[in-house]
Amino acid sequence: EAQVTQNPRYLITVTGKKLTVTCSQNMNHEYMSWYRQDPGLGLRQIYYSMNVEVTDKGDVPEGYKVSRKEKRNFPLILESPSPNQTSLYFCASSSYRGDTQYFGPGTRLTVL
Amino acid sequence: GENVEQHPSTLSVQEGDSAVIKCTYSDSASNYFPWYKQELGKRPQLIIDIRSNVGEKKDQRIAVTLNKTAKHFSLHITETQPEDSAVYFCAASNIQGAQKLVFGQGTRLTINP
């Protein structure tokens, strides 16, 4: 089954404790991206990747890192999380930039 | 860059009535316009899309219309049902130009029984 998976689905952590949210897709998509969703602000892109080893900042990249060592995986790293990063995070993939995005199930992160 | 405005932010309709959500975009080069539905606690999922070589597309009770001259596109849902209650997002991109998909702010649609 074609899908995008994310782990964990829920995470409660404390300020400053490094965390990684994993994302994996099995559709051989070249383009992957991370979004955060906050009430009233819609979907905001954090980082994206056009292909392996090619990543770039989206609209709200501060406080986040990503890597793309394999085509299928695109982890999101928060080196020192802060309470303002409490949000719902979605990973998405598509065949190429601008095409239909397929979203993962979401990760609800709470930073205390 | 592209900017997408979506209206209204909330919409409440009686079951069986029609619902219309409108979006405007700024970049005349945009040529791909998908609509996503996000049910409570779920991921956004594509429900219909339109490309700039057509003016209207239908899929059962949902339809999307595109006016490239005015740079706006709309989602129409007819004979609404309770399961249509969700947040709907429009988006726009220039696929050939490899421009990213830009989302509207979303519309929370509530269907009242």
Side-chain angles (χ1 to χ4, degrees), chain B residues 15-62:
Chain B
E15 183 177 351
D17 287 351
S18 295
V20 181
I21 302 170
K22 299 181 180 180
C23 289
T24 60
Y25 61 98
S26 61
D27 188 348
S28 57
S30 288
N31 51 28
Y32 176 60
F33 308 93
W35 285 89
Y36 290 81
K37 176 183 181 182
Q38 185 179 24
E39 297 177 1
L40 191 62
K42 302 284 183 65
R43 73 190 81 188
Q45 291 194 293
L46 179 75
I47 54 172
I48 195 168
D49 58 12
I50 193 168
R51 299 181 192 255
S52 61
N53 57 345
V54 296
E56 184 176 6
K57 184 176 179 180
K58 286 184 179 180
D59 183 2
Q60 300 182 328
R61 296 187 297 106
I62 62 173

Side-chain angles (χ1 to χ4, degrees), chain B residues 35-109:
Chain B
W35 285 89
Y36 290 81
K37 176 183 181 182
Q38 185 179 24
E39 297 177 1
L40 191 62
K42 302 284 183 65
R43 73 190 81 188
Q45 291 194 293
L46 179 75
I47 54 172
I48 195 168
D49 58 12
I50 193 168
R51 299 181 192 255
S52 61
N53 57 345
V54 296
E56 184 176 6
K57 184 176 179 180
K58 286 184 179 180
D59 183 2
Q60 300 182 328
R61 296 187 297 106
I62 62 173
V64 57
T65 58
L66 172 64
N67 183 327
K68 287 221 75 180
T69 303
K71 290 192 282 188
H72 66 71
F73 57 111
S74 301
L75 178 71
H76 304 253
I77 306 174
T78 59
E79 300 172 9
T80 53
Q81 301 169 3
E83 54 265 36
D84 295 328
S85 292
V87 177
Y88 292 80
F89 291 96
C90 64
S93 72
N94 175 351
I95 289 185
Q96 281 79 3
Q99 297 302 306
K100 72 174 183 180
L101 201 59
V102 177
F103 289 88
Q105 298 303 302
T107 296
R108 181 172 299 280
L109 174 63

